[in-house]
Amino acid sequence: MADEPVRVYLPATLPALAGLRDKGELSPPGEAHAVTPDLREWYAEGDEEELEYVAFTRAAQGALRLLRADAEAPRRRVVVSVDLPPSAVRPGPRELGSSLVVVADAVALGVVAAIHVDAEEAESDVGAAAAVVAEAEAGDPDAQFTVDGAEDHDLLWYDPTELDQLI
């Protein structure tokens, strides 16, 4: 159905979660990921769960870029899963396999479905990956190996009501 909410994965950091708690919303995200028609076409054999995993993983990679930009943030990736009305989500650049979408407005705490955060044990690997994520995206195989090391860590799932415990 066209009116069903769209599950969107927002890369974030622990300081952004503090803002979500304090303001009741996340500022308009600069990057977001979802199951898009371009992703479906690229991964035609994938079921919905597999497609969502791809979009989620790309949001986790986006969190690495946010960590690279914020040297003060704890070295833990954060992905905020939200359910938005279709009118709040616009397609990103049209490219086969892309999961990138645009969310122009702030995202209210009330639409947060789940919060995913690295365990403390991942901080060393995540910090190393954040330091070289741009090089990995540019094709450096050594940097990609480091990023893959962070991706070996599963993000833990938290209910939005557990936000205070995460901060």
Side-chain angles (χ1 to χ4, degrees):
M1 260 192 140
D3 293 342
E4 288 185 37
V6 177
R7 174 62 53 97
V8 178
Y9 303 97
L10 308 174
T13 61
L14 287 173
L17 289 184
L20 175 62
R21 179 195 63 194
D22 297 343
K23 298 176 190 170
E25 65 182 24
L26 280 173
S27 298
E31 175 181 326
H33 293 271
V35 176
T36 64
D38 292 324
L39 181 58
R40 284 184 199 285
E41 183 180 345
W42 171 73
Y43 197 43
E45 299 300 315
D47 64 20
E48 194 67 19
E49 188 174 318
E50 290 170 316
L51 292 169
E52 288 179 359
Y53 182 76
V54 170
F56 176 85
T57 300
R58 290 178 179 170
Q61 291 168 349
L64 287 176
R65 289 188 292 280
L66 293 175
L67 290 172
R68 181 178 178 131
D70 184 354
E72 301 300 314
R75 308 285 90 180
R76 294 166 73 187
R77 297 169 298 166
V78 175
V79 175
V80 180
S81 298
V82 300
D83 293 321
L84 298 174
S87 62
V89 182
R90 293 191 310 264
R94 295 294 318 255
E95 182 177 309
L96 186 61
S98 177
S99 61
L100 197 59
V101 295
V102 176
V103 178
D105 297 323
V107 176
L109 179 58
V111 299
V112 173
I115 301 167
H116 312 270
V117 181
D118 273 311
E120 287 181 37
E121 300 82 46
E123 285 185 0
S124 176
D125 289 338
V126 169
V132 299
V133 67
E135 292 83 352
E137 290 171 347
D140 181 319
D142 292 331
Q144 186 60 53
F145 181 79
T146 302
V147 169
D148 290 345
E151 291 177 0
D152 287 342
H153 296 277
D154 290 329
L155 279 77
L156 305 176
W157 182 94
Y158 295 91
D159 187 89
T161 60
E162 297 176 283
L163 186 56
D164 283 337
Q165 289 84 5
L166 289 170
I167 308 302

